[in-house]
């Protein structure tokens, strides 16, 4: 009678494992009642945990005095959005109800004057010096063109009035953010300027455009930013310990395995040795890495088939980070057949046939789930079992 040993991946603990195990066991025994499915839950005993109850986590009241005022918090949140989308603030401003420009439709509008000053601006003096210090001087013109050619910029210009001050800083922030965005896109090693230099750039550019006074963030943007932060930000800070503890298993297991993975492999080996042969190993994610490492270093004749699902083992081998096998070395002759199931929507799944010809069979399935849900969607996907069941001895 064949035994199927089910090895879980990173971040899984007993309760979650039992739920998945029931799904796996149900699919297997329904189609192959002669097969015994055996659990191999290493996470509870050998997975990562906060061994000292989280004493390494800074308490909220000692965390660099983060709560220094509402406007500072909102500035941080605003730049978080601008780093992702430099036109974010301009887009919000374009949606605000405003009085518009000069009442004479044939006269020059205030927005036209602002646009002329921006297009004619040649950075010099302190502004040029700060642009160079921030590493974005060469990208300034391109960023200005990108912003001024956008629809939201034109919408804002059409609504500018003589008494309007909100748009100066907004446009300046958009251009500075766009310059940094472009630099990062072209050079992944680009280091963002510190907030003081960044804000000085915005102020200098805004003044060059004609801003007469520093009003800070406009009232119109306070509400959108408060919706992004609000009580949730304070809750996250206050609950940092609980959040860290809850999220430690997933990255923690990976780090723990890379440094002290032998105890996990020993546990898997003991489970296999106690199982009735022949044995098939079904391993998910990090569990697949551990099983590959085990089978490379330890001949186990009773294992006739290794099935990895959503595995990073091929990737680690290619970047020479697989602990058991240096890149360029072949799998040993005693390594069992290897079926590797992956999903293009699962960005943590990789293929192995190109690295190990005639050793690995890759099978593509489609869960039709987005990432990261796709990484755990294999077990309820009929295509997964259509690939697995016929291969079971």
């Amino acid at each position: 009678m064949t035994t199927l040993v089910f090895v879980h991946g990173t971040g899984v603990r007993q309760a979650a494992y039992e739920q998945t195990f029931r799904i796996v066991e149900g699919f297997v025994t329904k189609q192959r009642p002669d097969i015994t499915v055996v659990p191999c839950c290493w996470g509870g005993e050998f997975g990562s945990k906060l061994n000292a109850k989280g004493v390494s986590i800074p308490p909220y009241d000692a965390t660099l005095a983060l709560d220094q005022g509402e406007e500072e918090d909102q500035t941080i949140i605003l730049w978080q959005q601008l780093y992702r989308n430099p036109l974010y603030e301009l887009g919000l401003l374009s949606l605000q109800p405003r009085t518009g420009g000069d009442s004479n439709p044939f006269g020059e509008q205030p927005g036209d004057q602002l646009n002329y000053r921006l297009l004619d601006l040649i950075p010099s003096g302190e502004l040029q010096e700060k642009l160079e210090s921030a590493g974005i001087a060469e990208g300034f013109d391109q960023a200005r063109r990108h912003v001024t050619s956008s629809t939201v910029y034109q919408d804002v210009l059409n609504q500018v009035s003589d008494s309007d001050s909100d748009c100066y800083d907004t446009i300046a922030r958009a251009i500075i953010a766009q310059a940094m965005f472009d630099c990062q896109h072209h050079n992944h090693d680009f280091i963002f300027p510190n907030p003081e230099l960044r804000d000085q750039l915005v102020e200098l550019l805004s003044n060059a455009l004609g801003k007469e006074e520093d009003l800070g963030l406009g009232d119109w943007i306070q509400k959108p930013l408060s919706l992004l932060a609000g009580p949730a930000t304070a809750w996250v800070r206050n609950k940092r310990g609980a959040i860290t503890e809850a999220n430690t298993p997933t990255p923690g297991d990976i780090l723990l395995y890379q440094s002290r993975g032998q105890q996990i492999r020993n546990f898997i080996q003991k489970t296999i040795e106690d199982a009735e042969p022949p044995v098939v190993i079904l391993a998910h994610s990090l569990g697949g890495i551990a099983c590959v490492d085990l089978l490379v270093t330890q001949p186990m004749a009773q294992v006739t088939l290794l099935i990895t699902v959503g595995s990073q083992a091929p990737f680690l081998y290619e970047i020479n980070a697989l602990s058991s096998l240096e890149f360029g070395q072949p799998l040993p002759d005693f390594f069992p057949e290897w079926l590797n199931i992956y999903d293009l929507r699962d960005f943590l799944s990789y293929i192995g046939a190109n690295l190990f010809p005639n050793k690995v069979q890759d099978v593509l399935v489609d869960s039709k789930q987005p990432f990261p849900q796709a990484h755990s969607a294999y077990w309820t996907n009929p295509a997964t079992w259509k690939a697995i069941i016929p291969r079971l001895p």
Side-chain angles (χ1 to χ4, degrees):
M1 178 178 291
T2 298
T3 302
L4 186 144
V5 175
F6 175 50
V7 185
H8 67 79
T10 183
V12 177
R13 298 298 180 260
Q14 190 65 39
Y17 178 81
E18 289 176 357
Q19 182 179 2
T20 306
F21 181 83
R22 287 194 293 270
I23 295 173
V24 171
E25 185 179 38
F27 271 95
V28 172
T29 57
K30 181 179 180 179
Q31 300 181 63
R32 290 290 303 272
D34 58 310
I35 291 180
T36 301
V37 184
V38 171
C40 183
C41 182
W42 52 265
E45 184 175 356
F46 300 106
S48 62
K49 57 181 176 293
L50 295 173
N51 293 290
K53 308 301 181 184
V55 297
S56 62
I57 303 167
Y60 170 65
D61 58 3
T63 306
L64 298 177
L66 282 175
D67 194 10
Q68 296 178 4
E70 181 179 354
E71 184 169 329
E72 176 176 329
D73 286 348
Q74 292 186 332
T75 300
I76 293 172
I77 296 165
L78 174 57
W79 277 101
Q80 181 183 41
Q81 301 303 314
L82 291 172
Y83 288 148
R84 299 170 181 168
N85 174 15
L87 300 179
Y88 168 79
E89 187 182 3
L90 268 177
L92 289 180
L93 184 58
S94 71
L95 299 176
Q96 299 303 306
R98 305 170 81 80
T99 58
D102 195 299
S103 60
N104 178 6
F106 302 103
E108 187 177 74
Q109 303 294 318
D112 295 330
Q113 301 168 15
L114 172 59
N115 188 47
Y116 295 150
R117 286 195 293 270
L118 177 56
L119 296 180
D120 291 341
L121 175 67
I122 299 176
S124 60
E126 187 178 5
L127 175 58
Q128 178 64 19
E129 177 186 333
K130 297 294 185 184
L131 287 171
E132 292 174 356
S133 297
I136 59 174
E138 293 184 3
F140 178 81
D141 283 340
Q142 178 180 324
R144 173 170 48 184
R145 289 194 299 270
H146 185 103
V147 171
T148 55
S149 63
S150 68
T151 301
V152 289
Y153 171 78
Q154 296 300 326
D155 289 342
V156 168
L157 285 187
N158 292 336
Q159 300 177 54
V160 171
S161 66
D162 288 320
S163 59
D164 202 341
S165 301
D166 290 337
C167 60
Y168 291 95
D169 282 351
T170 299
I171 292 171
R173 272 192 288 267
I175 294 173
I176 298 303
Q178 186 68 53
M180 292 188 290
F181 183 91
D182 293 342
C183 285
Q184 185 187 41
H185 177 74
H186 295 302
N187 177 15
H188 295 300
D189 295 327
F190 172 73
I191 299 175
F192 281 82
N194 64 56
E196 290 77 13
L197 176 56
R198 178 200 67 197
D199 294 343
Q200 288 172 5
L201 279 168
V202 171
E203 183 178 4
L204 289 168
L205 178 55
S206 187
N207 291 341
L209 297 179
K211 186 186 73 167
E212 296 180 356
E213 56 180 322
D214 185 8
L215 301 176
L217 296 183
D219 292 339
W220 59 273
I221 201 173
Q222 304 288 336
K223 185 174 181 179
L225 294 181
S226 67
L227 292 175
L228 289 173
T233 301
W235 182 86
V236 168
R237 291 180 189 163
N238 283 316
K239 300 295 184 181
R240 179 174 175 182
I243 293 170
T244 301
E245 184 173 17
N247 290 280
T248 292
T250 299
D253 282 355
I254 297 170
L255 295 172
L256 178 64
Y257 178 79
Q258 290 295 81
S259 60
R260 295 184 176 87
Q262 188 59 51
Q263 57 186 355
I264 296 175
R265 292 191 292 272
N266 290 344
F267 181 84
I268 297 172
Q269 181 177 351
K270 179 67 165 53
T271 304
I272 294 171
E273 291 173 344
D274 290 344
E276 182 177 348
V279 174
V280 173
I281 302 174
L282 175 59
H284 180 233
S285 191
L286 178 61
I289 297 172
C291 289
V292 169
D293 282 336
L294 172 63
L295 295 172
V296 166
T297 57
Q298 184 67 43
M300 304 192 73
Q302 67 270 50
V303 178
T304 61
L305 175 64
L306 168 65
I307 305 172
T308 55
V309 178
S311 178
Q312 305 86 48
F315 174 72
L316 291 185
Y317 172 76
E318 183 175 2
I319 66 172
N320 204 23
L322 191 66
S323 65
S324 61
L325 198 67
E326 288 193 25
F327 178 74
Q329 295 180 338
L331 290 172
D333 293 337
F334 55 76
F335 196 91
E337 293 185 48
W338 183 358
L339 173 65
N340 180 59
I341 299 174
Y342 69 103
D343 185 335
L344 293 178
R345 302 175 199 274
D346 174 14
F347 304 136
L348 293 175
S349 66
Y350 295 86
I351 56 176
N354 294 330
L355 294 167
F356 304 110
N358 304 318
K359 284 287 190 177
V360 182
Q361 179 188 358
D362 295 315
V363 175
L364 172 65
V365 300
D366 185 1
S367 68
K368 294 182 170 58
Q369 293 280 9
F371 183 81
Q373 287 76 16
H375 189 55
S376 302
Y378 294 95
W379 312 121
T380 55
N381 186 347
T384 300
W385 301 106
K386 184 178 180 180
I388 290 175
I389 297 298
R391 296 291 302 272
L392 299 178

